[in-house]
Amino acid sequence: MAFIRAIFKQLLADAKDPRITILQGSRQVGKTYLLKLLSKKLKNDHYFNLEESDDLRLFNADDKAIVD
């Protein structure tokens, strides 16, 4: 059974804002679950995991390379 946290509504609202939202918290509290649920709800496949070497390499590049 899925439990939708109150923060999900705020994340959904923040998704309309062009600024970056950072979601942080302790290990295994559902951050990844929330982001994947948000991605599915918004039909957006831009999910990056900075524990993956390819994603980390991308975000360690200069700003212009990240935006392109």
Side-chain angles (χ1 to χ4, degrees), residues 21-38:
T21 299
I22 297 174
L23 180 63
Q24 64 182 43
S26 300
R27 292 174 49 96
Q28 297 185 333
V29 295
K31 298 178 302 290
T32 300
Y33 174 79
L34 279 172
L35 291 176
K36 287 184 176 182
L37 187 64
L38 183 67

Side-chain angles (χ1 to χ4, degrees), residues 7-67:
I7 190 77
F8 184 75
K9 290 180 184 175
Q10 183 63 47
L11 289 170
L12 200 54
D14 285 353
K16 298 172 185 162
D17 191 327
R19 295 176 293 178
I20 294 173
T21 299
I22 297 174
L23 180 63
Q24 64 182 43
S26 300
R27 292 174 49 96
Q28 297 185 333
V29 295
K31 298 178 302 290
T32 300
Y33 174 79
L34 279 172
L35 291 176
K36 287 184 176 182
L37 187 64
L38 183 67
S39 179
K40 192 180 295 185
K41 176 86 173 172
L42 297 173
K43 296 178 178 35
N44 180 346
D45 61 354
H46 292 73
Y47 177 81
F48 301 99
N49 180 348
L50 298 183
E51 292 182 350
E52 296 289 331
S53 59
D54 288 340
D55 289 348
L56 183 58
R57 193 174 306 112
L58 171 67
F59 281 90
N60 279 328
D62 63 86
D63 296 347
K64 189 172 183 161
I66 294 171
V67 176

